Amino acid sequence: MTAPVLSVENVSVEIGGRALVEHVSFSLGPGEFAALIGPNGAGKTTLLKAILGQLPFRGSIRVNGRMGYVPQRLNFDRTLPMTVLEFLALTLQRRPVAFGIATRVRKSVSAMLERVGAGALLHKSLGGLSGGELQRVLLAAALGEGAQLLLLDEPAAGVDIEGEAAFNDLILHEVRAHGAAAILVSHDLSVVADISDRVLCLNRVLMCEGKAGDLLTAETIARVFGSGKAVYDHHRPVPHTHAHGPDHHHGH
Amino acid sequence: MIEIIARYFTVDWQAVILAAVLCLSLAAGSLSTLVVSNRMSFFSDAIAHSTLSGVALGLLIGVDPIATMIAAGVVVALLIAAMRQRSGLSLDTLLGVALAGSLAVGVILYHRAQGYSDLHAYLFGRVTFLDTTDLAALAAAAGLSLVLVGLYSNPFALLAVSRPLAQARGIRPARYDFILIVLLGLVVSVCVRAVGLLLVNALMVVPAAASKNVARSYRGMFWGALCVSVTSCVAGLVLGDYFSVPPAPGIVVVAVLFFVASLLFRRGTALALDA
């Protein structure tokens, strides 16, 4: 049997005396694409941060291989002068980017950007990118470094509504082509239904786990998100394309 | 003016001063980009203020004040880092306490040891008294800074953009915080001897702040900061000599003029792009 890329065993995260995630266990095999769904405040980002080693936790998390991470939104000093080429080269060469970028790395970065349809951004300033452009660059960075596990925290959150479906398609296509295991955090059930092999429903505790088609029943959705939610096809013109949790706010 | 410049190449003790100032400018200029982009400017200021305690302690207990000064800079830096990790307090609060506290303790110890004589030199620098011992210390500081920039500037740049992203790529922020803190503790303490504890932070911050205003890349920011640092230090030394003003404030004034010019240039470029 192949060893899992990610193994999460009985993980709990507590911040300021408040339990945000409790007794969560699951594992992810190579190439497996899982969606982590749940309403706002359910602990999705918290669980991801624990996996990334950014939050203290109880239990055990084992990652077999390198991780790539696309955050929901990257908050950084936009006045810091740094080109997209320099940003992507930072982890690809030992030589300081301030001392120049090797031709091999330059070619590799170009190819990484082309894959996500962002070839024109090579010499642009990182601080001057739009939300959608930045998410593409972050996706290129996550994919381009031989990661075996991709952690995608609502990666389409910074993309405008029109571009969101296309961006999710791009993620699906590229992650599949890359062959890495991935966890996609989403509150958008239609995305989950379309692209994932497995669904993990989190609302502080892991409420359900299984194949997307089997799990996304009206009953399960009501249990995780509260009643009155449903799954809609992104490409069909329906009044409410997104299924949201009870306390969801747009643009969070 | 030419005569004054020529003396720095012909008179031995002045050549030592020029070499020491060049080393100082390389140390501060190469670290400046890391300090500004990783938001460590108040940190280096707190370290600078703590060095007075070290000097005074050295004088009180009869140990070489240079050694105790460097030790105090590093110890205070590590204390701040440890308290930041364990107390959960914000960095600016900790630095505010450390800066005022270490300066007050330093002044009290200094009063006990010296009765305030020569305090002026520690506050505002003593560039014109730099000797071969200072030159050796500053050369070591410059070498150390350049080596560490060569080894770690990429992880530091990634940490400057985003700590979570850096962490996801296997970079441990605590480890790099430690490296930068110890390095700053060492370099700032050595540089305090030359430009004084009230002015040294300007050398750590202003070159990269000026360069950041006009650079379009990280590479441009790094080399721009180094150029501003070297030019300010040499020009401040020579102009200070020419106008008979103390060199340390002269160096800082030249660096600040670079910053003002960079701001005007940025404003001009923005207006031209808007038009």
mmCIF file of all heavy atoms in Angstrom, chain B residues 212-245:
data_model
loop_
_atom_site.group_PDB
_atom_site.id
_atom_site.type_symbol
_atom_site.label_atom_id
_atom_site.label_comp_id
_atom_site.label_asym_id
_atom_site.label_seq_id
_atom_site.Cartn_x
_atom_site.Cartn_y
_atom_site.Cartn_z
ATOM 1 N N LYS B 212 14.317 52.067 -1.652
ATOM 2 C CA LYS B 212 12.994 51.467 -1.846
ATOM 3 C C LYS B 212 12.055 52.404 -2.608
ATOM 4 O O LYS B 212 11.193 51.968 -3.370
ATOM 5 C CB LYS B 212 12.408 51.145 -0.461
ATOM 6 C CG LYS B 212 11.160 50.302 -0.472
ATOM 7 C CD LYS B 212 10.662 50.097 0.956
ATOM 8 C CE LYS B 212 9.373 49.313 0.965
ATOM 9 N NZ LYS B 212 8.641 49.451 2.209
ATOM 10 N N ASN B 213 12.254 53.716 -2.392
ATOM 11 C CA ASN B 213 11.391 54.696 -3.062
ATOM 12 C C ASN B 213 11.547 54.692 -4.577
ATOM 13 O O ASN B 213 10.615 55.044 -5.293
ATOM 14 C CB ASN B 213 11.713 56.113 -2.550
ATOM 15 C CG ASN B 213 11.085 56.371 -1.199
ATOM 16 O OD1 ASN B 213 10.085 55.751 -0.854
ATOM 17 N ND2 ASN B 213 11.659 57.278 -0.437
ATOM 18 N N VAL B 214 12.735 54.340 -5.049
ATOM 19 C CA VAL B 214 12.971 54.462 -6.496
ATOM 20 C C VAL B 214 13.210 53.113 -7.193
ATOM 21 O O VAL B 214 13.098 53.025 -8.414
ATOM 22 C CB VAL B 214 14.178 55.395 -6.792
ATOM 23 C CG1 VAL B 214 13.844 56.822 -6.408
ATOM 24 C CG2 VAL B 214 15.425 54.938 -6.070
ATOM 25 N N ALA B 215 13.508 52.060 -6.420
ATOM 26 C CA ALA B 215 13.855 50.775 -7.049
ATOM 27 C C ALA B 215 12.611 50.096 -7.619
ATOM 28 O O ALA B 215 11.494 50.287 -7.130
ATOM 29 C CB ALA B 215 14.512 49.864 -6.019
ATOM 30 N N ARG B 216 12.827 49.326 -8.677
ATOM 31 C CA ARG B 216 11.722 48.558 -9.258
ATOM 32 C C ARG B 216 11.890 47.059 -9.019
ATOM 33 O O ARG B 216 11.093 46.261 -9.491
ATOM 34 C CB ARG B 216 11.670 48.809 -10.776
ATOM 35 C CG ARG B 216 11.116 50.167 -11.080
ATOM 36 C CD ARG B 216 11.526 50.656 -12.443
ATOM 37 N NE ARG B 216 11.181 52.057 -12.587
ATOM 38 C CZ ARG B 216 10.180 52.491 -13.317
ATOM 39 N NH1 ARG B 216 9.424 51.656 -13.978
ATOM 40 N NH2 ARG B 216 9.934 53.783 -13.405
ATOM 41 N N SER B 217 12.990 46.700 -8.379
ATOM 42 C CA SER B 217 13.217 45.280 -8.093
ATOM 43 C C SER B 217 13.945 45.162 -6.753
ATOM 44 O O SER B 217 14.493 46.149 -6.251
ATOM 45 C CB SER B 217 14.077 44.643 -9.188
ATOM 46 O OG SER B 217 15.356 45.249 -9.186
ATOM 47 N N TYR B 218 13.954 43.942 -6.215
ATOM 48 C CA TYR B 218 14.653 43.693 -4.947
ATOM 49 C C TYR B 218 16.158 43.893 -5.152
ATOM 50 O O TYR B 218 16.843 44.432 -4.291
ATOM 51 C CB TYR B 218 14.343 42.273 -4.474
ATOM 52 C CG TYR B 218 14.732 42.021 -3.038
ATOM 53 C CD1 TYR B 218 13.954 42.509 -1.997
ATOM 54 C CD2 TYR B 218 15.871 41.292 -2.722
ATOM 55 C CE1 TYR B 218 14.303 42.286 -0.667
ATOM 56 C CE2 TYR B 218 16.227 41.058 -1.406
ATOM 57 C CZ TYR B 218 15.445 41.554 -0.384
ATOM 58 O OH TYR B 218 15.789 41.327 0.929
ATOM 59 N N ARG B 219 16.613 43.462 -6.322
ATOM 60 C CA ARG B 219 18.025 43.637 -6.652
ATOM 61 C C ARG B 219 18.394 45.129 -6.654
ATOM 62 O O ARG B 219 19.402 45.538 -6.096
ATOM 63 C CB ARG B 219 18.264 43.039 -8.046
ATOM 64 C CG ARG B 219 19.692 43.048 -8.468
ATOM 65 C CD ARG B 219 19.822 42.534 -9.882
ATOM 66 N NE ARG B 219 21.212 42.276 -10.188
ATOM 67 C CZ ARG B 219 21.670 41.947 -11.363
ATOM 68 N NH1 ARG B 219 20.837 41.797 -12.377
ATOM 69 N NH2 ARG B 219 22.937 41.731 -11.554
ATOM 70 N N GLY B 220 17.532 45.928 -7.296
ATOM 71 C CA GLY B 220 17.755 47.373 -7.350
ATOM 72 C C GLY B 220 17.764 47.984 -5.960
ATOM 73 O O GLY B 220 18.574 48.854 -5.649
ATOM 74 N N MET B 221 16.850 47.498 -5.111
ATOM 75 C CA MET B 221 16.780 48.037 -3.751
ATOM 76 C C MET B 221 18.067 47.731 -2.982
ATOM 77 O O MET B 221 18.628 48.593 -2.300
ATOM 78 C CB MET B 221 15.571 47.440 -3.031
ATOM 79 C CG MET B 221 15.380 47.955 -1.611
ATOM 80 S SD MET B 221 13.842 47.317 -0.903
ATOM 81 C CE MET B 221 14.072 47.661 0.824
ATOM 82 N N PHE B 222 18.564 46.498 -3.112
ATOM 83 C CA PHE B 222 19.765 46.091 -2.379
ATOM 84 C C PHE B 222 20.978 46.922 -2.797
ATOM 85 O O PHE B 222 21.674 47.507 -1.963
ATOM 86 C CB PHE B 222 20.042 44.598 -2.603
ATOM 87 C CG PHE B 222 21.321 44.138 -1.961
ATOM 88 C CD1 PHE B 222 21.364 43.850 -0.606
ATOM 89 C CD2 PHE B 222 22.491 44.021 -2.702
ATOM 90 C CE1 PHE B 222 22.552 43.454 -0.007
ATOM 91 C CE2 PHE B 222 23.680 43.624 -2.119
ATOM 92 C CZ PHE B 222 23.711 43.329 -0.758
ATOM 93 N N TRP B 223 21.219 46.988 -4.120
ATOM 94 C CA TRP B 223 22.407 47.699 -4.597
ATOM 95 C C TRP B 223 22.253 49.206 -4.400
ATOM 96 O O TRP B 223 23.231 49.912 -4.129
ATOM 97 C CB TRP B 223 22.703 47.348 -6.059
ATOM 98 C CG TRP B 223 23.161 45.923 -6.179
ATOM 99 C CD1 TRP B 223 22.455 44.871 -6.670
ATOM 100 C CD2 TRP B 223 24.416 45.376 -5.721
ATOM 101 N NE1 TRP B 223 23.180 43.703 -6.561
ATOM 102 C CE2 TRP B 223 24.384 43.980 -5.991
ATOM 103 C CE3 TRP B 223 25.550 45.908 -5.110
ATOM 104 C CZ2 TRP B 223 25.448 43.129 -5.667
ATOM 105 C CZ3 TRP B 223 26.619 45.061 -4.800
ATOM 106 C CH2 TRP B 223 26.554 43.695 -5.081
ATOM 107 N N GLY B 224 21.043 49.707 -4.558
ATOM 108 C CA GLY B 224 20.780 51.133 -4.326
ATOM 109 C C GLY B 224 21.095 51.499 -2.880
ATOM 110 O O GLY B 224 21.728 52.519 -2.604
ATOM 111 N N ALA B 225 20.661 50.640 -1.941
ATOM 112 C CA ALA B 225 20.913 50.900 -0.520
ATOM 113 C C ALA B 225 22.414 50.903 -0.231
ATOM 114 O O ALA B 225 22.921 51.758 0.505
ATOM 115 C CB ALA B 225 20.216 49.845 0.337
ATOM 116 N N LEU B 226 23.109 49.953 -0.853
ATOM 117 C CA LEU B 226 24.567 49.879 -0.641
ATOM 118 C C LEU B 226 25.248 51.147 -1.172
ATOM 119 O O LEU B 226 26.131 51.717 -0.520
ATOM 120 C CB LEU B 226 25.107 48.621 -1.339
ATOM 121 C CG LEU B 226 26.376 48.013 -0.773
ATOM 122 C CD1 LEU B 226 26.237 47.680 0.703
ATOM 123 C CD2 LEU B 226 26.748 46.751 -1.547
ATOM 124 N N CYS B 227 24.814 51.604 -2.358
ATOM 125 C CA CYS B 227 25.397 52.826 -2.952
ATOM 126 C C CYS B 227 25.109 54.039 -2.077
ATOM 127 O O CYS B 227 26.004 54.851 -1.826
ATOM 128 C CB CYS B 227 24.820 53.082 -4.351
ATOM 129 S SG CYS B 227 25.454 51.956 -5.562
ATOM 130 N N VAL B 228 23.857 54.173 -1.608
ATOM 131 C CA VAL B 228 23.493 55.319 -0.764
ATOM 132 C C VAL B 228 24.332 55.288 0.508
ATOM 133 O O VAL B 228 24.852 56.318 0.964
ATOM 134 C CB VAL B 228 21.981 55.299 -0.418
ATOM 135 C CG1 VAL B 228 21.653 56.324 0.666
ATOM 136 C CG2 VAL B 228 21.150 55.583 -1.662
ATOM 137 N N SER B 229 24.510 54.095 1.074
ATOM 138 C CA SER B 229 25.266 53.965 2.315
ATOM 139 C C SER B 229 26.730 54.376 2.129
ATOM 140 O O SER B 229 27.261 55.193 2.887
ATOM 141 C CB SER B 229 25.171 52.515 2.807
ATOM 142 O OG SER B 229 25.866 52.362 4.001
ATOM 143 N N VAL B 230 27.364 53.824 1.092
ATOM 144 C CA VAL B 230 28.793 54.127 0.859
ATOM 145 C C VAL B 230 28.962 55.608 0.535
ATOM 146 O O VAL B 230 29.830 56.293 1.103
ATOM 147 C CB VAL B 230 29.358 53.237 -0.280
ATOM 148 C CG1 VAL B 230 30.759 53.682 -0.666
ATOM 149 C CG2 VAL B 230 29.364 51.771 0.143
ATOM 150 N N THR B 231 28.114 56.128 -0.359
ATOM 151 C CA THR B 231 28.242 57.539 -0.761
ATOM 152 C C THR B 231 28.007 58.465 0.434
ATOM 153 O O THR B 231 28.752 59.435 0.629
ATOM 154 C CB THR B 231 27.221 57.867 -1.878
ATOM 155 O OG1 THR B 231 27.287 56.848 -2.858
ATOM 156 C CG2 THR B 231 27.509 59.202 -2.531
ATOM 157 N N SER B 232 26.963 58.173 1.233
ATOM 158 C CA SER B 232 26.664 59.038 2.389
ATOM 159 C C SER B 232 27.823 59.039 3.376
ATOM 160 O O SER B 232 28.199 60.091 3.905
ATOM 161 C CB SER B 232 25.423 58.556 3.139
ATOM 162 O OG SER B 232 24.364 58.422 2.284
ATOM 163 N N CYS B 233 28.364 57.853 3.647
ATOM 164 C CA CYS B 233 29.439 57.757 4.643
ATOM 165 C C CYS B 233 30.677 58.511 4.194
ATOM 166 O O CYS B 233 31.248 59.298 4.961
ATOM 167 C CB CYS B 233 29.774 56.287 4.926
ATOM 168 S SG CYS B 233 28.530 55.499 5.955
ATOM 169 N N VAL B 234 31.096 58.296 2.936
ATOM 170 C CA VAL B 234 32.315 58.956 2.451
ATOM 171 C C VAL B 234 32.078 60.464 2.312
ATOM 172 O O VAL B 234 32.886 61.283 2.765
ATOM 173 C CB VAL B 234 32.775 58.322 1.112
ATOM 174 C CG1 VAL B 234 33.951 59.098 0.538
ATOM 175 C CG2 VAL B 234 33.146 56.861 1.330
ATOM 176 N N ALA B 235 30.921 60.821 1.714
ATOM 177 C CA ALA B 235 30.627 62.255 1.521
ATOM 178 C C ALA B 235 30.470 62.949 2.874
ATOM 179 O O ALA B 235 30.967 64.071 3.065
ATOM 180 C CB ALA B 235 29.366 62.422 0.686
ATOM 181 N N GLY B 236 29.794 62.292 3.819
ATOM 182 C CA GLY B 236 29.600 62.894 5.146
ATOM 183 C C GLY B 236 30.919 63.126 5.849
ATOM 184 O O GLY B 236 31.119 64.161 6.501
ATOM 185 N N LEU B 237 31.842 62.167 5.709
ATOM 186 C CA LEU B 237 33.170 62.286 6.323
ATOM 187 C C LEU B 237 33.933 63.481 5.744
ATOM 188 O O LEU B 237 34.440 64.335 6.470
ATOM 189 C CB LEU B 237 33.942 60.981 6.090
ATOM 190 C CG LEU B 237 35.366 60.920 6.618
ATOM 191 C CD1 LEU B 237 35.361 60.938 8.143
ATOM 192 C CD2 LEU B 237 36.076 59.651 6.128
ATOM 193 N N VAL B 238 33.982 63.535 4.394
ATOM 194 C CA VAL B 238 34.763 64.583 3.720
ATOM 195 C C VAL B 238 34.101 65.956 3.919
ATOM 196 O O VAL B 238 34.774 66.941 4.243
ATOM 197 C CB VAL B 238 34.913 64.246 2.216
ATOM 198 C CG1 VAL B 238 35.576 65.396 1.466
ATOM 199 C CG2 VAL B 238 35.709 62.961 2.041
ATOM 200 N N LEU B 239 32.779 66.021 3.755
ATOM 201 C CA LEU B 239 32.094 67.310 3.906
ATOM 202 C C LEU B 239 32.158 67.796 5.351
ATOM 203 O O LEU B 239 32.268 68.997 5.604
ATOM 204 C CB LEU B 239 30.626 67.187 3.449
ATOM 205 C CG LEU B 239 30.431 67.013 1.938
ATOM 206 C CD1 LEU B 239 28.972 66.732 1.616
ATOM 207 C CD2 LEU B 239 30.900 68.253 1.188
ATOM 208 N N GLY B 240 32.088 66.848 6.285
ATOM 209 C CA GLY B 240 32.217 67.214 7.694
ATOM 210 C C GLY B 240 33.557 67.881 7.947
ATOM 211 O O GLY B 240 33.652 68.893 8.648
ATOM 212 N N ASP B 241 34.585 67.305 7.354
ATOM 213 C CA ASP B 241 35.932 67.846 7.454
ATOM 214 C C ASP B 241 35.997 69.239 6.827
ATOM 215 O O ASP B 241 36.515 70.186 7.412
ATOM 216 C CB ASP B 241 36.878 66.884 6.713
ATOM 217 C CG ASP B 241 38.280 66.911 7.317
ATOM 218 O OD1 ASP B 241 38.540 67.818 8.114
ATOM 219 O OD2 ASP B 241 39.090 66.031 6.967
ATOM 220 N N TYR B 242 35.425 69.370 5.661
ATOM 221 C CA TYR B 242 35.472 70.623 4.887
ATOM 222 C C TYR B 242 34.730 71.747 5.613
ATOM 223 O O TYR B 242 35.208 72.867 5.693
ATOM 224 C CB TYR B 242 34.849 70.378 3.511
ATOM 225 C CG TYR B 242 34.915 71.567 2.582
ATOM 226 C CD1 TYR B 242 36.125 71.947 1.980
ATOM 227 C CD2 TYR B 242 33.774 72.322 2.302
ATOM 228 C CE1 TYR B 242 36.193 73.042 1.137
ATOM 229 C CE2 TYR B 242 33.833 73.416 1.453
ATOM 230 C CZ TYR B 242 35.050 73.780 0.866
ATOM 231 O OH TYR B 242 35.100 74.855 0.035
ATOM 232 N N PHE B 243 33.539 71.431 6.139
ATOM 233 C CA PHE B 243 32.732 72.465 6.810
ATOM 234 C C PHE B 243 32.970 72.500 8.321
ATOM 235 O O PHE B 243 32.257 73.200 9.039
ATOM 236 C CB PHE B 243 31.240 72.229 6.542
ATOM 237 C CG PHE B 243 30.843 72.472 5.106
ATOM 238 C CD1 PHE B 243 30.467 71.423 4.280
ATOM 239 C CD2 PHE B 243 30.861 73.766 4.585
ATOM 240 C CE1 PHE B 243 30.106 71.653 2.966
ATOM 241 C CE2 PHE B 243 30.497 74.001 3.266
ATOM 242 C CZ PHE B 243 30.128 72.942 2.450
ATOM 243 N N SER B 244 33.941 71.741 8.792
ATOM 244 C CA SER B 244 34.268 71.676 10.234
ATOM 245 C C SER B 244 33.051 71.342 11.087
ATOM 246 O O SER B 244 32.751 72.029 12.073
ATOM 247 C CB SER B 244 34.882 73.000 10.715
ATOM 248 O OG SER B 244 36.052 73.238 10.016
ATOM 249 N N VAL B 245 32.307 70.319 10.682
ATOM 250 C CA VAL B 245 31.195 69.819 11.512
ATOM 251 C C VAL B 245 31.495 68.354 11.844
ATOM 252 O O VAL B 245 32.254 67.696 11.133
ATOM 253 C CB VAL B 245 29.815 69.937 10.798
ATOM 254 C CG1 VAL B 245 29.430 71.379 10.589
ATOM 255 C CG2 VAL B 245 29.806 69.157 9.492
#
